[in-house]
Structure formats: C-alpha cells, structure tokens
C-alpha cells in the first residue's frame, strides 16, 4: 500500500501499516516525536491502520500549538487525572473525561465530597505518574467483554457507556488504569511537560438534571512550562476583564434573580447600546436596508409553518391568554414575521433584493445552568436582517454582507474568520436544494478570499450557514454573527414574486446577523477593551474635575462649550487625587483638572493611561474631532 505525504510524495508501506509505522519508515526521530497522524485531514491514533492512497501528515511534539496535537496531549492528561483520582480515593466511580477547548475534564462520583483544596494533592499525584512514566496501549474488545469488566470493577457509568457504544469498542491502558475510549492518545507521557488542575464544578451525568450530579475536575496541559505560564497569565487577564465584574463596576448593567438571563441596563450602559444601535441603523441605511418592526407574539400555527415548532420548541416561551383564545409563543427569531411581512402583498422582481432589518427583542428559554452574564441570556436583541433575493442575486448579496462584516469588525479591532456549517441530520428540504445552498455559500467565501473552515452537520434545520468567528485582544475566538441561505421558509410560507416574464417565482431568503446578539457583543466588547472603550463608544468621554468650590461654575461653563461630547463635572468634595483615581478606575478617556491656572487658553488634560498635557480649548477640540471619528 502507499500513502501520500504533505509534499505529495508517496510512501510505500506494508498492508495494514499504522501511522506509527509510517513515521518509523520516514525516520526514527520522527517516530519518537510523533503524537498522532492526520489521515484524510482527520486526527487519528498512531496505532490505527492506514488506508491505501490516504494523504497523511505526522503531527509531532514540535507542533505544540497545533489544535490536534494539543487535543491528544490533553486527552492523555485526562486519563492521568482519572488514574490519580482512583489511586487517592478508593471507591470513586469514573465517568467520562474528554479534552475540551483550552484543556480537559473528567467527571467522578466521589464517596465523599471534595473541594478545591484537594486539587494540589491530586495534581501532585499526576506529577508522580509523570515521573514514573506512562505508556498507552490500545486493544479492541467485544461489548460483552467490556461490560463484564466494568461490572466486575463496580463502574456503572462505564457499563452504561458500553451499552450505548456504536462501532468497535476499544480500551486504552496506562499504569494501573484502563478506560473505555476511542482515542487518540500519546505513545507515552514524556511529551506532557506542564499540567495544571484549574477547578471543580458540578455536572449531571450525560447533562441530564434527572441523573446523578457528579464532580467535574477541570485541568489543562501543554508541551512546555512556558506555554502553560503564558496560558495562565491570559486566564488571569481574562478574569480581570470579566464583563460580569466590569459591567457593574463601570455602572453599565447588572443581573438579578428577579429576571434570570435578562440584564438590567443602566444609563451608562444604554449609551454603549445606543451607539451600537446607531451604528447598525446608519450602516444598514447606506447598504439599502429598510427598517421594519414585527410582533413579539404569534400563534402556534405560524411556528408550525416556519418549522420552529417542530425543531425549536424546547427553547421557546409559550403564552396562554384568555380561556377562549388560542395559545401564543414569544418569538425566538424574527424570520417568521419577516416572511409574513413579505407575503402581505404581491411582490415584483423589481423590488428584489428586498432587505428587511429589525433589531427586536427575542426570547429563548435557555436552561439556567447555561446562562453566563451577557454572553448567554434568555432575552436577546439581534442586529437582524432578512434579504429576499432571486437565484441570480445570491452571490452579490452575500459578497456585500462579507464586506459589511469586514468593515464592522475592523471598527473594533477584531479579526474575522468564517465557518461554513453544512446540512444537519434533522433538516427541511431536498438534497438538491441543500447542494445548491451549500455551494452558493462556499462560492461566496472563495470569491471573497475569506479564511474559512467547514463544520459538517452544524447548519440550521432550514439551511446551511456561514458562522462568523472573531478573535479578540486576548487571542480568544468568539462565535459572532451568521449568514444563512434558506430555500425552505419562503416555500413553507408560500411566498412568490412576479418575474420579468410575468410568471410567479419563489424568492430565496438570506438570514443575517453580523454582530449577532447585541447583549453578547456588548459583553465581548467589555472584555476585549477591558472596559476602556474607544472614545466614540465611551459612556462618559470627558470628566472635568474642579479643584475647589470656586471652580465649579467655570467647570460647568466648560462643559457647555464641549457640548458635542458626553461630559460630566465631578463636584464631589473628595480630594482631587481621589477623583482622578476614580476617573481612572472608570476608564474615562479624558480628564480635565480645572483650577486657578486653567482657562480656555490653558487646560490641564489627562488622557486615559496617565499622559498629561496642556492644551487650549481649540487644541482639545481638534484632538477630540480626530478620536471621535469612526
């Protein structure tokens, strides 16, 4: 058999050769450093056989930033955690332990509760395992063999997993711990140079609140101590920037149990909100969008027509009116209302593309355990739009949306990427329609030269989508907006337009939200900027601090002369130093200290970050006009 290497050369191997065999054939050093093989672009355990003609890539310890290389390192680290816990806590029952973004976890049922204070002891046991050294071996067994083994060991969660497993069942063993696992795993533990347990949480078995609550231990691992140190520094910085802390501290919003998952926006927070809304409306108008407003409540039949009742009802809020009235539901999306709006009268091809925009309140019944500040809420507001197009208009319209994305994200110093999400198993429409829709989205991305990956099966039930990702100032990736191409909903609502041939034609709709949820976007911006918003977005742009009581009147007069901006005068009786420090904590871009020496010709100006200068009022205005420009 032959496999194809990254340089397109062919490597001849014996039939049934594994990834490790391929690495050894290339060279002993490569085999020693190999951690997994990519076969046909998919991560695969080195111990598994390759197929004739497969393109392969050997991933090694040198690829320490490669997501797949980190995945296998952290997967093996999770198994070391389970072995350590089994050693330290006789009678513990083990559940599952996968790698996740930035780390791994393992779920356990402990005989007695443990706390964060126990983590250093467990971590020390893992280090002992690393000092001893571990090798991973793989074997395939029958379901019956696996079930009997775990029943004998008193591991009910593993028994249950065996009962639902599909395909070959494999064990991985290291030290005195054997786990039910598909892999992949390291050859041995030597590549694990740095490991850290990061916390505890409760987790229901299989995510079902009716099942036993287990203890989840989180951790992370790296190929070097320097990488772990850098990661922990980023985590600490992210903790410092946490919008749930900064939001109340900066008087932007608060959350309360009176209305779970629904923020209370304060006046300063509404400044940020309204600036984002003004940006949305202004830029939409430039691009030919028209503002509409549709109801919050619809009857169930509307959601049956749209497909939401069948595919999304577990996330919807239902409302029962008077006894003689039919039940209604709060809208989780704007699309059904926009379909009804389009279908309200006969349309002409001359009206297309027709771009409806609406920033409306949406309600989604997210489970309490998933709520997270502004990032996961029950009450959301999207910069939503639905564009009705002909088949011929699809490419130009999506191209314009991608250009719009680049413009918006650039304003905030964010780097966009795209993920093309294709047809899920549970979907509406024919394969031919999905082929056309997926092809159109991919063609638009290629035409624009935008970096993208493909996420199989992650599309919506009515169409494929481009999910827009962005990277913030800490290098974290966030899911933001979406562009979805939909042949289904216009058909389900019976929408038509008159073509140039005077015949009826079916429109196609493009669903798009570029910032996504404004609540979520605001939370991300708070963390991205660490609360230090750019001048145009800052709730308070200038604060004037009068030195004494006699300076309050001229300070107020200066505020009036700076009336184009958001200006406050701090007339508290606290010391000047304390008021300056408070302004720094509140991250106000400009602070003017006004005393005996100050006048329109000479103002003491402090910029955020500590830079001080003396400017005339005209000089200050000239500088502000530059930083106030988007």
């Amino acid at each position: 058999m032959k496999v194809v290497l990254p340089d397109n050369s062919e490597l001849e191997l014996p039939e049934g050769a594994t990834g490790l065999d391929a690495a050894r054939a290339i060279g002993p050093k490569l085999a020693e450093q190999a951690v997994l093989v990519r076969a046909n672009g998919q991560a695969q355990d080195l111990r598994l056989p390759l197929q004739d003609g497969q393109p392969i890539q050997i991933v090694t310890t040198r690829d320490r930033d490669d997501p797949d290389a980190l995945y296998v390192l952290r997967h093996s680290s999770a198994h070391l955690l389970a072995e350590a816990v089994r050693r330290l806590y006789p009678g513990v029952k083990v559940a599952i332990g996968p790698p996740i973004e930035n780390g791994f976890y393992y779920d356990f049922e402990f005989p007695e509760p443990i706390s964060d204070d126990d983590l250093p002891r467990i971590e020390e046991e893992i280090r002992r395992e690393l000092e001893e050294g571990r090798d991973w071996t793989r074997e395939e067994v029958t379901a019956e063999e696996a079930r009997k083994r775990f029943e004998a060991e008193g591991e009910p969660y593993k028994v249950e997993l065996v009962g639902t497993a599909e395909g070959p069942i494999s064990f991985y063993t290291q030290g005195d711990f054997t786990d039910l696992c598909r892999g992949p795993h390291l050859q041995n533990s030597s590549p694990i140079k740095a490991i850290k347990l990061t916390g505890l949480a409760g987790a229901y078995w299989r995510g079902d609140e009716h099942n036993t609550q287990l203890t989840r231990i989180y951790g992370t691992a790296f190929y070097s101590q320097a990488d772990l140190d850098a990661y922990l520094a980023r985590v600490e910085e992210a903790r410092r920037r946490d919008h749930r802390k900064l939001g109340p501290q900066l008087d932007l919003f608060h959350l309360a149990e009176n209305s779970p998952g629904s923020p209370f926006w304060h006046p300063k927070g509404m400044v940020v909100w309204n600036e984002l809304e003004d940006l949305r409306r202004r830029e939409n108008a430039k691009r030919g969008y028209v503002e509409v407003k549709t109801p919050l409540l619809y009857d169930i039949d509307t959601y049956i027509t749209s497909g939401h009742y069948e595919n999304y009802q577990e996330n919807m809020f239902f409302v029962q009116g008077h006894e003689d009235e039919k039940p209604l539901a709060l809208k989780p999306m704007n699309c059904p209302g926009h379909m009804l709006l389009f279908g309200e009268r006969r349309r002409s091809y001359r009206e297309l593309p027709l771009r409806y925009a609406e920033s409306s309140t949406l309600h989604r019944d997210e489970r309490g355990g998933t709520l997270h500040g502004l990032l996961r809420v029950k009450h959301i507001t999207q910069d939503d739009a639905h564009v009705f197009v002909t088949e011929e208009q699809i490419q130009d319209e999506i191209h314009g949306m991608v250009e719009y994305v680049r413009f918006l994200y650039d304003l905030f110093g964010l780097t966009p990427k795209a993920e093309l999400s294709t047809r899920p198993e549970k979907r509406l429409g024919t394969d031919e329609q999905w082929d056309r829709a997926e092809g159109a989205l991919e063609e638009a991305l290629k035409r624009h030269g935008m970096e993208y990956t493909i996420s199989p099966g992650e599309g919506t039930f009515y169409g494929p989508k481009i999910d827009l990702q962005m990277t913030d100032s800490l290098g974290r990736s966030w899911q933001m907006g979406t562009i979805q191409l939909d042949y289904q909903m216009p058909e389900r609502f019976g929408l038509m337009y008159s073509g140039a041939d005077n015949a009826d034609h079916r429109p196609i709709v493009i669903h798009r939200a570029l910032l996504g949820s404004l609540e979520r976007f605001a939370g991300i911006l708070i963390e991205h900027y660490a609360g230090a918003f750019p001048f145009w977005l800052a709730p308070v742009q200038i604060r004037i601090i009068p030195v004494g009581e006699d300076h309050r009147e001229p300070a107020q007069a200066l505020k009036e002369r700076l009336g184009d901006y958001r200006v406050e005068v701090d007339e508290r009786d606290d010391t000047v130093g304390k008021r300056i420090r408070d302004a720094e904590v509140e991250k106000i871009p400009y602070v003017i200290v006004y005393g005996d020496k100050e006048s329109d010709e000479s103002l003491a100006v402090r910029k955020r970050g500590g830079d001080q200068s003396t400017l005339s009022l005209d000089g200050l205005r000239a500088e502000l006009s530059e930083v106030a420009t988007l």
Side-chain angles (χ1 to χ4, degrees):
M1 62 177 281
K2 292 179 180 179
V3 292
V4 182
L5 300 178
D7 63 0
N8 290 323
S9 63
E10 291 185 339
L11 178 66
E12 191 164 344
L13 296 168
E15 195 68 33
T18 65
L20 189 55
D21 292 330
R24 288 179 180 137
I26 297 170
K29 190 69 172 176
L30 183 69
E32 179 186 335
Q33 295 178 341
V35 294
L36 62 87
V37 60
R38 267 197 206 99
N40 292 327
Q42 300 297 314
Q44 178 174 304
D45 195 291
L46 288 164
R47 303 160 185 83
L48 292 177
L50 301 172
Q51 302 299 317
D52 187 32
Q54 272 186 320
I56 69 164
Q57 176 191 1
I58 306 297
V59 180
T60 74
T61 55
R62 296 192 302 273
D63 302 306
R64 65 185 198 184
D65 295 324
D66 183 282
D68 287 336
L70 285 168
Y71 179 96
V72 69
L73 182 93
R74 290 163 178 168
H75 196 176
S76 297
S77 298
H79 281 223
L80 292 178
L81 166 60
E83 182 185 359
V85 168
R86 283 269 295 265
R87 281 184 170 193
L88 295 173
Y89 298 91
V92 71
K93 301 184 189 308
V94 297
I96 56 171
I100 56 175
E101 185 179 9
N102 295 323
F104 60 87
Y105 69 78
Y106 214 111
D107 290 346
F108 304 95
E109 183 183 340
F110 284 93
E112 299 292 335
I114 69 166
S115 70
D116 286 321
D117 293 339
D118 295 290
L119 294 183
R121 178 175 175 236
I122 300 171
E123 199 174 293
E124 185 58 37
E125 187 64 29
I126 296 173
R127 291 199 177 93
R128 189 175 295 116
E129 293 169 357
L130 291 171
E131 289 171 5
E132 295 171 357
R134 290 291 184 270
D135 294 297
W136 274 269
T137 59
R138 181 184 186 276
E139 62 176 317
E140 289 193 6
V141 297
T142 66
E144 183 63 17
E145 288 171 328
R147 183 183 62 78
K148 286 182 178 179
R149 174 176 184 131
F150 290 124
E151 283 179 345
E153 292 180 355
E155 294 288 3
Y157 301 107
K158 297 297 181 184
V159 172
E160 185 175 334
L161 288 171
V162 169
T164 58
E166 296 180 358
I169 293 177
S170 54
F171 285 165
Y172 280 84
T173 300
Q174 96 274 351
D176 57 8
F177 179 66
T178 296
D179 206 354
L180 177 73
C181 184
R182 295 188 184 278
H185 281 284
L186 298 170
Q187 297 183 67
N188 56 61
S189 61
S190 62
I192 305 174
K193 302 298 185 187
I195 193 165
K196 176 73 176 175
L197 300 184
T198 54
L200 294 177
Y204 292 109
W205 170 236
R206 293 195 153 178
D208 187 336
E209 62 190 5
H210 298 102
N211 290 338
T212 304
Q213 187 173 47
L214 306 175
T215 299
R216 177 167 294 176
I217 301 180
Y218 286 99
T220 191
F222 289 88
Y223 286 95
S224 76
Q225 185 63 43
D227 287 346
L228 174 60
D229 292 343
Y231 169 75
L232 294 176
R234 289 195 302 273
V235 169
E236 186 56 37
E237 178 62 16
R239 188 176 292 117
R240 188 180 70 83
R241 293 170 177 240
D242 192 327
H243 74 283
R244 294 169 298 176
K245 173 185 174 185
L246 283 177
Q249 178 183 311
L250 298 176
D251 198 21
L252 301 175
F253 71 90
H254 78 274
L255 297 158
E257 287 304 311
N258 310 75
S259 183
S262 302
F264 291 76
W265 288 95
H266 299 191
K268 289 179 180 177
M270 283 306 299
V271 171
V272 176
W273 183 277
N274 288 331
E275 285 290 338
L276 294 175
E277 273 283 77
D278 290 347
L279 171 68
R280 178 192 70 84
R281 286 198 175 93
R282 183 172 61 250
E283 295 302 326
N284 276 351
K286 289 179 183 178
R287 292 164 175 81
Y289 289 83
V290 291
E291 289 282 328
V292 298
K293 188 171 181 61
T294 54
L296 293 179
L297 287 166
Y298 295 87
D299 62 16
I300 304 304
D301 288 344
T302 299
Y303 294 113
I304 291 173
T305 301
S306 71
H308 287 97
Y309 189 78
E310 178 184 355
N311 294 279
Y312 201 75
Q313 63 175 295
E314 67 274 12
N315 295 107
M316 294 170 61
F317 287 100
F318 294 91
V319 178
Q320 181 61 58
H322 300 290
E323 290 182 4
D324 57 343
E325 295 178 350
K326 56 187 177 182
L328 304 171
L330 284 165
K331 64 178 176 182
M333 286 94 170
N334 287 312
C335 28
H338 290 189
M339 300 303 123
L340 295 172
L341 194 58
F342 184 95
E344 179 266 339
R345 63 174 174 80
R346 188 172 182 82
R347 303 285 175 179
S348 165
Y349 73 96
R350 298 180 187 278
E351 297 178 72
L352 306 185
L354 180 55
R355 306 179 183 99
Y356 287 150
E358 180 172 11
S359 180
S360 179
T361 301
L362 306 174
H363 290 84
R364 299 178 182 179
D365 191 10
E366 303 283 1
R367 289 185 177 274
T370 68
L371 299 176
H372 183 83
L374 299 179
L375 304 183
R376 193 74 177 264
V377 293
K378 290 178 180 279
H379 167 177
I380 72 169
T381 312
Q382 285 184 327
D383 65 323
D384 210 358
H386 293 87
V387 183
F388 297 86
V389 295
T390 67
E391 190 89 37
E392 297 75 26
Q393 292 168 339
I394 289 173
Q395 287 302 315
D396 285 343
E397 203 62 30
I398 294 176
H399 180 76
M401 291 177 185
V402 175
E403 287 284 358
Y404 195 176
V405 166
R406 288 191 184 278
F407 166 79
L408 285 175
Y409 289 17
D410 187 59
L411 279 180
F412 302 99
L414 304 172
T415 304
K417 292 187 300 185
E419 182 177 274
L420 176 59
S421 299
T422 59
R423 68 196 75 185
E425 286 189 19
K426 190 177 181 181
R427 61 182 182 268
L428 304 174
T430 65
D431 286 343
E432 190 269 336
Q433 288 174 322
W434 280 86
D435 288 342
R436 292 207 315 272
E438 290 171 355
L441 290 183
E442 188 161 19
E443 184 180 337
L445 288 170
K446 288 178 177 177
R447 173 185 171 190
H448 202 277
M450 192 170 189
E451 179 187 347
Y452 73 97
T453 57
I454 294 179
S455 183
E458 294 300 316
T460 67
F461 65 88
Y462 51 76
K465 59 180 179 171
I466 297 171
D467 283 328
L468 301 165
Q469 316 276 344
M470 71 83 175
T471 303
D472 69 7
S473 57
L474 292 183
R476 299 174 299 180
S477 181
W478 298 92
Q479 159 81 51
M480 296 297 298
T482 186
I483 299 170
Q484 304 170 359
L485 185 56
D486 180 8
Y487 286 81
Q488 307 308 319
M489 218 168 281
E491 184 174 328
R492 292 173 74 91
F493 278 89
L495 304 183
M496 305 296 287
Y497 68 90
S498 296
D501 57 0
N502 289 322
D504 284 343
H505 298 270
R506 183 86 65 200
I508 302 114
V509 69
I510 305 172
H511 309 242
R512 77 107 182 101
L514 303 184
L515 299 180
S517 155
L518 291 185
E519 288 84 356
R520 176 179 168 81
F521 189 66
I524 291 169
L525 286 185
I526 291 169
E527 298 192 6
H528 175 61
Y529 292 123
F533 294 107
F535 184 82
W536 70 272
L537 196 54
V540 178
Q541 296 170 317
I542 305 166
R543 178 168 289 169
I544 305 171
I545 299 176
V547 173
E549 188 172 342
D550 293 343
H551 306 116
R552 291 178 179 175
E553 187 175 335
Q556 289 288 351
L558 177 60
K559 173 185 174 181
E560 294 301 317
R561 291 195 290 278
L562 290 169
D564 292 340
Y565 303 103
R566 294 186 286 272
V567 186
E568 284 185 351
V569 177
D570 186 350
E571 295 185 342
R572 293 177 299 164
D573 293 328
D574 293 319
T575 65
V576 171
K578 182 180 187 309
R579 284 181 284 166
I580 289 173
R581 286 192 297 275
D582 288 347
E584 290 173 347
V585 169
E586 294 176 47
K587 304 179 190 295
I588 294 171
Y590 283 81
V591 174
I592 301 171
V593 179
Y594 204 100
D596 290 338
K597 297 179 181 179
E598 276 61 55
S599 68
D600 285 359
E601 301 306 316
S602 179
L603 296 173
V605 179
R606 296 173 62 95
K607 296 180 189 177
R608 185 169 54 205
D611 292 342
Q612 294 183 234
S613 61
T614 300
L615 293 172
S616 67
L617 180 56
D618 288 341
L620 177 60
R621 280 191 178 128
E623 184 171 315
L624 294 177
S625 67
E626 292 184 11
V627 297
T629 303
L630 291 183

